[in-house]
Amino acid sequence: MTQKNFSIEFFPPKTPEGVEKLRATRAKLAELNPKYFSVTFGAGGSTQKGTLETVLEIKREGHDAAPHLSCVGGTRESIRAILNEYKSNGIRRVVALRGDLPSGYGGAGEFRYANELVEFIRAETGDWFHIEVAAYPEMHPQAKSPQDDLQNFVRKVNAGANAAITQYFYNADAYFRFVDEARKAGVNVPVVAGIMPITNYSQLMRFSEMCGAEIPRWVRLKLASYGDDTESIKAFGLDVVTGLCERLLAGGVPGMHFYSLNQAAATTALWKRLNLSAG
């Protein structure tokens, strides 16, 4: 049986307190032995330095780290410099994304789409990097249609991606259908499921509104009914997401990528409830 990969995502801290807090979170999550930690990249390159510093610190701690790279605001020169920096520090994995334009942001940079970024990384660095790209089981919010969205995904893989990580979702059928359609379109790379723990109702609604992830009606109503009862929200959220992950594992998902939001408790609880072990 192929070993499944389980990984955990952070965002780069913006304050010295955030840096300390993330160190403590990471120490706890490292005990779970994930395959790697990924570190996101702010809109328009706003946290590029923070991403680099966090990734290098994770590497020094003895863990595999995967920086996110975004097209937005990136020139060939700037992306080349970043790739060389990661390569010289022994980083072997990157997550290549189009990225979201921050409000009021003028130019999109020299790369318009993630497939162009993937092509450039391959042309510059050969097979040095294991490249992950994004996938959208419920369609990217800016795509014209599900068919268009699938073709965008196919282009990214054909440009040289090794694997994909999905946007988070709570409907396992959407994931399985997307993977089936990708396979029919000739895509054979692993499609790892992105998993968002549920700990805060208003935050989840805000995120889902932005990224187009659907929260099933019954889940939404139940969460809303708890009001400010955070313990009930967390307990119910843990049950819902555990059930989702169990369905995905039973259906043969190649791995899961946990969006930690720089917190340890929810990811740890899920990991232990599912009895996961990473390769």
Side-chain angles (χ1 to χ4, degrees), residues 214-266:
E214 185 187 30
I215 306 168
R217 180 178 161 80
W218 70 276
V219 173
R220 219 169 51 233
L221 292 174
K222 190 92 165 172
L223 287 168
S225 75
Y226 291 127
D228 294 332
D229 181 356
T230 54
E231 288 315 304
S232 292
I233 288 169
K234 287 176 183 173
F236 174 68
L238 181 58
D239 285 346
V240 167
V241 181
T242 300
L244 169 69
C245 292
E246 285 170 347
R247 265 203 75 191
L248 293 169
L249 290 164
V253 72
M256 294 189 290
H257 184 72
F258 292 85
Y259 298 112
S260 77
L261 303 181
N262 292 16
Q263 308 283 335

Side-chain angles (χ1 to χ4, degrees), residues 106-121:
E110 287 182 36
F111 303 101
R112 287 186 58 208
Y113 301 108
N115 63 293
E116 296 170 1
L117 179 58
V118 173
E119 269 169 26
F120 181 75
I121 296 168

Side-chain angles (χ1 to χ4, degrees), residues 43-234:
S46 57
T47 59
Q48 182 182 305
K49 190 164 174 285
T51 303
L52 174 67
E53 286 169 359
T54 307
V55 162
L56 295 185
E57 192 171 307
I58 291 170
K59 185 84 165 66
R60 283 195 298 274
E61 291 168 354
H63 311 296
D64 277 348
H68 289 213
L69 288 175
S70 160
C71 294
V72 175
T75 61
R76 280 173 169 70
E77 204 45 58
S78 68
I79 299 283
R80 183 180 292 122
I82 294 167
L83 291 170
N84 287 340
E85 179 105 48
Y86 286 130
K87 197 173 169 187
S88 67
N89 281 286
I91 301 294
R92 298 299 304 256
R93 187 185 286 269
V94 295
V95 182
L97 306 164
R98 191 197 74 174
D100 298 318
L101 282 168
S103 56
Y105 193 81
E110 287 182 36
F111 303 101
R112 287 186 58 208
Y113 301 108
N115 63 293
E116 296 170 1
L117 179 58
V118 173
E119 269 169 26
F120 181 75
I121 296 168
R122 281 282 171 250
E124 289 289 316
T125 62
D127 289 333
W128 176 266
F129 290 108
H130 181 285
I131 303 175
E132 311 264 357
V133 292
Y136 297 87
E138 296 174 318
M139 196 175 97
H140 190 284
Q142 291 169 350
K144 293 188 187 80
S145 69
Q147 293 79 6
D148 263 25
D149 200 38
L150 182 65
Q151 285 314 307
N152 288 339
F153 178 58
V154 171
R155 274 193 286 277
K156 289 189 281 194
V157 174
N158 289 346
N162 300 97
I165 301 167
T166 74
Q167 175 59 268
Y168 71 86
F169 57 90
Y170 297 105
N171 180 345
D173 290 336
Y175 169 83
F176 291 124
R177 180 176 288 261
F178 176 83
V179 172
D180 282 349
E181 289 176 352
R183 298 287 176 256
K184 285 178 193 152
V187 170
N188 292 309
V189 302
V191 179
V192 169
I195 304 295
M196 178 71 84
I198 298 174
T199 58
N200 179 313
Y201 174 59
S202 54
Q203 182 188 54
L204 182 67
M205 291 299 288
R206 195 171 66 250
F207 286 168
S208 301
E209 193 67 33
M210 286 189 307
C211 70
E214 185 187 30
I215 306 168
R217 180 178 161 80
W218 70 276
V219 173
R220 219 169 51 233
L221 292 174
K222 190 92 165 172
L223 287 168
S225 75
Y226 291 127
D228 294 332
D229 181 356
T230 54
E231 288 315 304
S232 292
I233 288 169
K234 287 176 183 173

